[in-house]
Amino acid sequence: MNRTVLVTVHTGRGAAVDSARLVVNRLVDAGITVRVLEQEAPDIGCAGVEVVPCDPGAAKDAEVMIVLGGDGSLLRSAELARPAGTPLFGVNLGHVGFLAEAEVDDLAAAVDSVVAGNYDVEERMTIDVIARLNGQVIADTWALNEATVEKCDRMLEVVAEVDGRPLSRWGCDGVICATPTGSTAYAFSAGGPVVWPEVEALLMVPISAHALFAKPLVVSPRATLAVEILPGTPGGVLWCDGRRRFDLPTGTRVEVRRGEHPVRLARLHGIESTGAPFTDRLVAKFELPVQGWRGRVRP
């Protein structure tokens, strides 16, 4: 059976391009068809690859999509992989890299595991996002991490809603609606809780709200969240995963619910990787102090 892997890379980093060449050559030597994106192909410069346009068709029928970069590169690649249902395999070349599965030091072993099919696939919840103005849809998009309604200049006045019922009015810098995956991203920096990826939930986190009740909320994955920009206050902007931007005039209503399509992530087994338990990932990424831990006493 012919196997195909799509490889994408943050070409702005020389080390990343060198790593991409290693990955491509190792896959080609194993008899796997390798695709690269047309805007990245000149930098990678490997022979024997299939060059494809940067559109959702790039990942169609690919077994996996190997992404070399940071979490930003993973979020960009998710736009290609999600429509095709192709699993993302991230190699962290950035700083934190919560979404990545392997570190660059383990690159050769990680590629060998992909060649051997020594990985599982997990699904991460996404959110679907619709913005309406006077009943008319002005934005229809999605996010893996979060959708954020933010101020442009002055503070926003918004009303938050859960399942069709008003929750609270806030003067704030914005409101984050996040997935568990996004709980360690923008929502975390705004004071939200860390939610383990296997927990099914939605988060709502106010940003710098002037209100007595402005706590982060964790709600059912079946809930619908909404944020309305009140008339008479400045308009704002909608950001999804920090990548897709939409202007929000005064009076806009933004609705967020569980996404129809998840993002799939490839997780290794059999070698040391950042795909270890999520608790270990938190400790490693945030350099949390765990000295003195003895663990459960075993008989």
Side-chain angles (χ1 to χ4, degrees), residues 205-283:
V205 183
I207 306 171
S208 302
H210 288 250
L212 290 176
F213 182 83
K215 298 296 184 182
L217 303 174
V218 180
V219 302
S220 165
R222 296 176 295 278
T224 298
L225 307 179
V227 178
E228 297 183 358
I229 301 178
L230 295 177
T233 64
V237 61
L238 170 66
W239 284 99
C240 287
D241 286 340
R243 292 187 46 78
R244 296 176 293 283
R245 182 186 188 278
F246 305 88
D247 290 328
L248 301 177
T250 297
T252 299
R253 172 185 173 88
V254 177
E255 298 177 352
V256 176
R257 55 178 54 86
R258 181 176 188 156
E260 183 177 352
H261 302 291
V263 165
R264 307 178 77 214
L265 299 180
R267 292 302 189 201
L268 296 179
H269 49 82
I271 72 166
E272 191 69 24
S273 75
T274 57
F278 185 71
T279 305
D280 293 348
R281 184 174 300 209
L282 278 179
V283 170

Side-chain angles (χ1 to χ4, degrees), residues 20-50:
R21 292 174 182 147
L22 183 153
V23 171
V24 169
N25 290 330
R26 214 169 183 96
L27 292 172
V28 170
D29 289 346
I32 294 175
T33 300
V34 178
R35 295 177 188 165
V36 297
L37 301 178
E38 58 185 1
Q39 69 266 39
E40 298 174 1
D43 292 292
I44 297 174
C46 291
V49 300
E50 179 184 344

Side-chain angles (χ1 to χ4, degrees), residues 98-99 124-125 144-145 178-185 195-197 265:
F98 258 102
L99 293 173
R124 292 290 183 91
M125 178 195 299
L144 172 59
N145 274 351
T179 65
T181 298
S183 71
T184 52
V195 180
W196 265 237
L265 299 180

